[in-house]
Amino acid sequence: MTENEGGRSIGMQNSLSSSGMDLAGAPPAAAAVAGVSTGPGRGAQAPVHAPLGDAARPSAEAHGGHPKIDMHQHYCAPEWREWAEHHDLITPQQLPPWARLGPEDAIAFMDRAGVATAVLKPMLPARYRSSAQLREAVAITLRSMIDVVNAYPGRFSFYAPLFLDDLDASSWAVRRGLGQLGAVGVNVTANYGGVYLGDPSYDRVFAELNDFSAVVDTHPHHLPGGGGPPGAPTVPGIPNFMCDFLLDTTRAAVNMISKRTLDRFPDISVILPHAGGFLPYIATRMQALGRFCDPPVDPAAVRDHLRRFYYDTAGPMAPAATLLAQVPADHILFGTDWPAAPADTVTDLALPALDADPSFTPEQLQGVLHDNALRLIPQLATV
């Protein structure tokens, strides 16, 4: 990973006015995805899901021999990049080089790694000036992902991006992405301006997600309060994705446990990236010391939430013994983190380590690589 890819908003304003939303000035693609009529033949088309045909399958020689579902693949829409540059929201130098890789690059990587289907995690990092501008950015990104899904039948699905520091825009994205455009879940950041997942201020959106029985995919970002410019390493010389991202995920998970998020919204499924950050390693500590939290955290709640979260293998993750001591194997999902993680990191390091991990039985490994994702998101069987 690189430090720009964790959240969609680098220094996004915490208070975005969402009143008087008007997409009249949006490009046709953005207006179409936002639900604004753009004339005959120009509205967004929801993905047409089709079984993965033989011509689209990775070859039998692809890595590992098992078809995989990649639950953690990043995507930066070229249409969004062009739009954001035009509106002076970003400069090309702000984005990592991998943000310019496109679907053809993704397909080449997926075939090499034996990935049959990937779920796209959208990134659209900018300081948006208004709620209307944010919705326009989300609309452009949704349209771009739909175009990718339709251009490569069977190979891609996508999450709808949410910005929880704009509740109205997030509610709109939930309804539009999940209710109308075929997103298989939503993607959120661990914290927004230092307010972590689980905070009651997000309850309105989480209630809507609960109504959809939504998959809520999470991703870390920079830790709040760093004091430097956005994205600057908190420790000189050590990129934030090395340690800080894992702590950010851990903080979000602990806050959700403390606030009993999965009890209050029992129909959502939360995915923690990078094997849950440090959470599996502090599980016993949290059970022992959770009584010092405010409100106190019961050890049983810790164990229950640990077993109800889902965890992906992106990173690459450490050997799975500690994770499996805390969570069921059927809650572990394969993820590559490509293209933030270079292709050779995935194929030469992460995949061989996962294949050789003695903690997994062959049946459990098959679940991690493929079957667990289908149980969580049955729509992927028809992507």
Side-chain angles (χ1 to χ4, degrees), residues 89-248:
L89 294 171
I90 62 167
T91 62
Q93 295 75 21
Q94 283 180 279
L95 298 177
W98 58 259
R100 297 191 174 274
L101 296 177
E104 298 84 1
D105 303 292
I107 291 293
F109 161 73
M110 291 161 64
D111 288 349
R112 176 180 171 191
V115 173
T117 302
V119 182
L120 301 177
K121 293 166 68 97
M123 59 170 287
L124 41 158
R127 181 184 291 274
Y128 296 102
R129 302 184 183 101
S130 68
S131 186
Q133 191 176 62
L134 169 60
R135 294 195 201 195
E136 188 175 344
V138 172
I140 291 168
T141 297
L142 286 171
R143 174 57 191 249
S144 179
M145 291 189 293
I146 290 171
D147 287 346
V148 171
V149 170
N150 288 333
Y152 299 91
R155 303 310 299 270
F156 295 101
S157 193
F158 66 96
Y159 295 125
L162 304 187
F163 290 74
L164 293 177
D165 47 0
D166 186 326
L167 296 179
D168 288 341
S170 294
S171 294
W172 166 81
V174 169
R175 297 190 303 271
R176 190 67 177 141
L178 296 180
Q180 299 173 343
L181 297 180
V184 297
V186 300
N187 180 243
V188 298
T189 298
N191 85 85
Y192 296 83
V195 181
Y196 276 87
L197 298 177
D199 191 90
S201 63
Y202 302 146
D203 282 1
R204 168 186 151 191
V205 174
F206 270 71
E208 295 174 12
L209 293 169
N210 195 68
D211 290 341
F212 277 97
S213 299
V215 171
V216 180
D217 178 74
T218 70
H219 202 283
H221 200 205
H222 305 295
L223 296 177
T234 56
V235 179
I238 300 177
N240 290 343
F241 62 78
M242 189 69 68
C243 303
D244 290 13
F245 277 22
L246 303 181
L247 177 57
D248 201 41

Side-chain angles (χ1 to χ4, degrees), residues 260-354:
R260 306 295 288 263
T261 297
L262 298 186
D263 291 336
R264 294 187 298 119
F265 307 105
D267 294 327
I268 65 171
S269 300
V270 174
I271 302 175
L272 302 177
H274 314 125
F278 303 132
L279 184 65
Y281 302 93
I282 66 166
T284 301
R285 179 183 180 89
M286 191 176 179
Q287 291 176 61
L289 303 178
R291 63 184 185 274
F292 295 106
C293 294
D294 183 17
V297 178
D298 183 77
V302 177
R303 292 190 293 269
D304 178 62
H305 274 64
L306 279 164
R307 296 182 65 82
R308 290 163 68 186
F309 287 134
Y310 286 81
Y311 307 79
D312 76 35
T313 67
M317 75 172 191
T322 300
L323 181 61
L324 285 170
Q326 306 293 340
V327 310
D330 62 3
H331 277 224
I332 303 175
L333 308 165
F334 177 67
T336 65
D337 222 339
W338 187 88
D344 59 355
T345 297
V346 177
T347 58
D348 300 345
L349 177 61
L351 280 173
L354 188 61

Side-chain angles (χ1 to χ4, degrees), residues 23-39 42-44 83 136 139-140 143:
L23 280 179
V33 176
V36 178
S37 174
T38 56
R42 298 181 66 183
W83 171 86
E136 188 175 344
I140 291 168
R143 174 57 191 249

Side-chain angles (χ1 to χ4, degrees), residues 69 313 317 329 332-335 354 360 363-373:
I69 297 176
T313 67
M317 75 172 191
I332 303 175
L333 308 165
F334 177 67
L354 188 61
F360 291 118
E363 293 76 16
Q364 288 173 336
L365 184 59
Q366 172 64 21
V368 170
L369 296 175
H370 185 271
D371 298 349
N372 297 345

